[in-house]
Short mmCIF file of all heavy atoms in Angstrom, two decimals:
data_model
loop_
_atom_site.label_atom_id
_atom_site.label_comp_id
_atom_site.label_asym_id
_atom_site.label_seq_id
_atom_site.Cartn_x
_atom_site.Cartn_y
_atom_site.Cartn_z
N ASP A 456 14.86 21.72 -10.38
CA ASP A 456 15.48 22.01 -11.58
C ASP A 456 14.61 21.58 -12.84
O ASP A 456 14.75 22.18 -13.93
CB ASP A 456 16.95 21.33 -11.77
CG ASP A 456 17.86 21.82 -10.59
OD1 ASP A 456 18.06 23.10 -10.47
OD2 ASP A 456 18.22 20.92 -9.81
N LEU A 457 13.92 20.45 -12.56
CA LEU A 457 13.15 19.73 -13.66
C LEU A 457 11.85 19.30 -13.09
O LEU A 457 11.85 18.66 -11.98
CB LEU A 457 13.98 18.65 -14.27
CG LEU A 457 13.28 17.65 -15.18
CD1 LEU A 457 12.93 18.46 -16.54
CD2 LEU A 457 14.16 16.44 -15.47
N ILE A 458 10.79 19.48 -13.88
CA ILE A 458 9.54 18.83 -13.47
C ILE A 458 9.31 17.72 -14.51
O ILE A 458 9.34 17.88 -15.75
CB ILE A 458 8.33 19.81 -13.56
CG1 ILE A 458 8.49 20.87 -12.41
CG2 ILE A 458 7.00 19.00 -13.50
CD1 ILE A 458 7.41 21.99 -12.54
N LEU A 459 8.98 16.47 -14.05
CA LEU A 459 8.49 15.38 -14.95
C LEU A 459 6.97 15.42 -14.67
O LEU A 459 6.46 15.19 -13.56
CB LEU A 459 9.04 13.97 -14.60
CG LEU A 459 10.47 13.93 -14.87
CD1 LEU A 459 10.86 12.48 -14.50
CD2 LEU A 459 10.96 14.13 -16.41
N TYR A 460 6.30 15.77 -15.84
CA TYR A 460 4.83 16.02 -15.70
C TYR A 460 4.00 14.83 -16.13
O TYR A 460 4.11 14.60 -17.42
CB TYR A 460 4.51 17.33 -16.28
CG TYR A 460 2.99 17.74 -16.28
CD1 TYR A 460 2.28 17.57 -15.21
CD2 TYR A 460 2.31 18.21 -17.44
CE1 TYR A 460 0.95 17.93 -15.12
CE2 TYR A 460 1.07 18.57 -17.49
CZ TYR A 460 0.26 18.44 -16.25
OH TYR A 460 -1.01 18.90 -16.30
N GLN A 461 3.12 14.25 -15.40
CA GLN A 461 2.25 13.18 -15.94
C GLN A 461 0.99 13.93 -16.27
O GLN A 461 0.20 14.31 -15.46
CB GLN A 461 2.07 12.09 -14.70
CG GLN A 461 1.89 10.67 -15.27
CD GLN A 461 0.38 10.42 -15.70
OE1 GLN A 461 -0.42 11.35 -15.93
NE2 GLN A 461 0.07 9.13 -15.47
N ALA A 462 0.71 14.02 -17.64
CA ALA A 462 -0.32 14.87 -18.16
C ALA A 462 -1.46 14.01 -18.53
O ALA A 462 -2.11 14.17 -19.65
CB ALA A 462 0.19 15.74 -19.30
N GLY A 463 -1.86 13.02 -17.61
CA GLY A 463 -3.13 12.20 -18.08
C GLY A 463 -4.34 13.03 -18.32
O GLY A 463 -4.59 14.07 -17.68
N VAL A 464 -5.05 12.59 -19.34
CA VAL A 464 -6.29 13.29 -19.67
C VAL A 464 -7.54 12.68 -19.13
O VAL A 464 -8.60 13.06 -19.41
CB VAL A 464 -6.41 13.41 -21.27
CG1 VAL A 464 -5.22 14.19 -21.80
CG2 VAL A 464 -6.62 12.03 -21.88
N ASP A 465 -7.28 11.59 -18.20
CA ASP A 465 -8.53 10.91 -17.61
C ASP A 465 -9.29 11.71 -16.55
O ASP A 465 -10.30 11.31 -16.06
CB ASP A 465 -8.12 9.60 -17.06
CG ASP A 465 -6.78 9.52 -16.40
OD1 ASP A 465 -6.12 10.58 -16.12
OD2 ASP A 465 -6.19 8.34 -16.08
N PRO A 466 -8.88 12.85 -16.15
CA PRO A 466 -9.74 13.67 -15.34
C PRO A 466 -10.91 14.22 -15.97
O PRO A 466 -11.90 14.78 -15.43
CB PRO A 466 -8.83 14.78 -14.87
CG PRO A 466 -7.50 14.34 -14.78
CD PRO A 466 -7.44 13.49 -16.06
N LEU A 467 -11.07 14.05 -17.36
CA LEU A 467 -12.19 14.58 -18.15
C LEU A 467 -13.41 13.82 -17.68
O LEU A 467 -13.37 12.72 -17.44
CB LEU A 467 -11.83 14.35 -19.74
CG LEU A 467 -10.90 15.31 -20.31
CD1 LEU A 467 -10.49 14.84 -21.59
CD2 LEU A 467 -11.48 16.69 -20.36
N ALA A 468 -14.57 14.54 -17.77
CA ALA A 468 -15.78 14.09 -17.39
C ALA A 468 -16.27 12.86 -18.16
O ALA A 468 -16.85 11.95 -17.63
CB ALA A 468 -16.90 15.08 -17.48
N ASP A 469 -15.89 12.67 -19.40
CA ASP A 469 -16.36 11.52 -20.21
C ASP A 469 -15.41 10.46 -20.34
O ASP A 469 -15.63 9.54 -21.04
CB ASP A 469 -16.81 12.04 -21.67
CG ASP A 469 -15.66 12.72 -22.33
OD1 ASP A 469 -14.55 12.84 -21.89
OD2 ASP A 469 -15.79 13.09 -23.52
N ASP A 470 -14.30 10.54 -19.52
CA ASP A 470 -13.27 9.43 -19.47
C ASP A 470 -13.91 8.21 -18.86
O ASP A 470 -14.58 8.30 -17.86
CB ASP A 470 -12.00 9.85 -18.81
CG ASP A 470 -10.99 8.92 -18.98
OD1 ASP A 470 -10.88 7.88 -18.21
OD2 ASP A 470 -10.12 9.03 -20.00
N ARG A 471 -13.63 7.07 -19.46
CA ARG A 471 -14.14 5.71 -18.93
C ARG A 471 -13.80 5.38 -17.62
O ARG A 471 -14.49 4.80 -16.70
CB ARG A 471 -13.74 4.65 -20.05
CG ARG A 471 -14.40 3.26 -19.60
CD ARG A 471 -14.25 2.40 -20.77
NE ARG A 471 -12.74 2.12 -21.24
CZ ARG A 471 -12.05 1.35 -20.53
NH1 ARG A 471 -12.34 0.59 -19.61
NH2 ARG A 471 -10.70 1.18 -20.97
N LEU A 472 -12.60 5.95 -17.10
CA LEU A 472 -12.04 5.58 -15.78
C LEU A 472 -11.93 6.68 -14.86
O LEU A 472 -11.38 6.67 -13.82
CB LEU A 472 -10.70 4.75 -15.93
CG LEU A 472 -10.75 3.61 -16.69
CD1 LEU A 472 -9.37 2.95 -16.64
CD2 LEU A 472 -11.72 2.65 -16.10
N GLY A 473 -12.51 7.96 -15.33
CA GLY A 473 -12.22 9.23 -14.58
C GLY A 473 -13.47 9.53 -13.75
O GLY A 473 -14.53 9.03 -13.94
N ARG A 474 -13.12 10.43 -12.68
CA ARG A 474 -14.32 10.76 -11.83
C ARG A 474 -14.36 12.21 -11.51
O ARG A 474 -15.19 12.64 -10.80
CB ARG A 474 -14.11 10.05 -10.38
CG ARG A 474 -14.31 8.55 -10.61
CD ARG A 474 -14.33 7.97 -9.15
NE ARG A 474 -14.47 6.49 -9.34
CZ ARG A 474 -14.92 5.68 -8.42
NH1 ARG A 474 -15.25 6.27 -7.22
NH2 ARG A 474 -15.06 4.38 -8.48
N LEU A 475 -13.48 13.06 -12.04
CA LEU A 475 -13.29 14.40 -11.56
C LEU A 475 -14.13 15.43 -12.28
O LEU A 475 -14.16 16.57 -12.02
CB LEU A 475 -11.85 14.84 -11.51
CG LEU A 475 -11.03 14.07 -10.46
CD1 LEU A 475 -9.54 14.59 -10.52
CD2 LEU A 475 -11.50 14.30 -8.99
N ALA A 476 -14.73 15.03 -13.44
CA ALA A 476 -15.64 15.87 -14.19
C ALA A 476 -15.09 17.15 -14.81
O ALA A 476 -15.82 18.19 -14.85
CB ALA A 476 -16.88 15.99 -13.29
N LEU A 477 -13.82 17.11 -15.24
CA LEU A 477 -13.26 18.24 -15.87
C LEU A 477 -13.77 18.28 -17.28
O LEU A 477 -14.01 17.38 -18.02
CB LEU A 477 -11.81 18.22 -15.91
CG LEU A 477 -11.02 18.96 -14.76
CD1 LEU A 477 -11.35 18.30 -13.40
CD2 LEU A 477 -9.59 18.84 -14.85
N THR A 478 -13.97 19.56 -17.77
CA THR A 478 -14.25 19.82 -19.25
C THR A 478 -12.96 19.99 -19.99
O THR A 478 -11.93 20.14 -19.36
CB THR A 478 -14.95 21.08 -19.30
OG1 THR A 478 -14.23 22.18 -19.04
CG2 THR A 478 -16.28 21.21 -18.39
N PRO A 479 -13.05 19.78 -21.34
CA PRO A 479 -11.89 20.09 -22.08
C PRO A 479 -11.24 21.42 -21.81
O PRO A 479 -10.02 21.60 -21.79
CB PRO A 479 -12.30 19.92 -23.51
CG PRO A 479 -13.50 19.08 -23.35
CD PRO A 479 -14.13 19.34 -22.08
N LYS A 480 -12.12 22.51 -21.56
CA LYS A 480 -11.47 23.71 -21.28
C LYS A 480 -10.71 23.80 -19.95
O LYS A 480 -9.67 24.31 -19.76
CB LYS A 480 -12.62 24.84 -21.25
CG LYS A 480 -12.19 26.15 -20.96
CD LYS A 480 -13.43 27.24 -21.00
CE LYS A 480 -13.03 28.69 -20.57
NZ LYS A 480 -14.16 29.49 -20.58
#
Side-chain angles (χ1 to χ4, degrees):
D456 303 297
L457 171 68
I458 294 170
L459 294 181
Y460 180 45
Q461 213 276 24
V464 301
D465 43 10
L467 285 168
D469 59 358
D470 190 272
R471 184 165 58 86
L472 300 182
R474 296 186 179 202
L475 292 180
L477 267 63
T478 67
K480 183 179 178 180

